[in-house]
């Protein structure tokens, strides 16, 4: 795995961790749309990772049993 792919996975993990911690600290009371920009950034990073891994899109990468992303993130 290239360094660039590792960095993208690290950024995705940071975003997911931030959302989970913020949700727990706020007792699940975040206003509607509070995390929309973070989810957009996460989706953009997944697409970038898919293209670096020679997949047409992130869904194809996550559905492929050989994919690095399949074990990393459960399908949402």
């Amino acid at each position: 795995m290239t360094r660039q792919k590792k960095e993208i996975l690290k950024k995705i993990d940071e975003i997911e961790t931030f959302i989970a911690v913020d949700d727990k600290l706020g007792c699940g009371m975040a206003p509607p749309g509070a995390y929309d920009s973070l989810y957009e950034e996460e989706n953009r990073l997944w697409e970038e990772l898919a293209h670096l891994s020679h997949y047409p899109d992130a869904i194809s990468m996550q559905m492929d049993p050989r994919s690095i992303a399949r074990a990393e993130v459960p399908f949402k």
Side-chain angles (χ1 to χ4, degrees), residues 38-76:
L38 292 172
Y39 287 130
E40 288 173 10
E41 176 67 13
E42 184 180 2
N43 288 336
R44 187 192 65 75
L45 290 169
W46 277 118
E47 290 294 330
E48 185 177 340
L49 181 63
H51 290 293
L52 287 172
S53 300
H54 307 288
Y55 287 95
D57 56 20
I59 298 296
S60 298
M61 179 180 66
Q62 291 174 341
M63 296 301 290
D64 187 356
R66 302 169 293 160
S67 174
I68 58 169
R70 187 165 177 88
E72 297 285 337
V73 175
F75 191 65
K76 295 180 182 179

Side-chain angles (χ1 to χ4, degrees), residues 4-48:
Q4 189 175 10
K5 290 179 187 177
K6 287 180 185 177
E7 290 295 322
I8 290 172
L9 287 171
K10 182 178 173 184
K11 288 177 187 176
I12 290 170
D13 185 52
E14 288 173 0
I15 290 171
E16 290 176 350
T17 302
F18 174 80
I19 291 171
V21 168
D22 191 58
D23 189 50
K24 290 288 185 186
L25 291 175
C27 299
M29 302 294 276
Y35 304 122
D36 286 350
S37 62
L38 292 172
Y39 287 130
E40 288 173 10
E41 176 67 13
E42 184 180 2
N43 288 336
R44 187 192 65 75
L45 290 169
W46 277 118
E47 290 294 330
E48 185 177 340

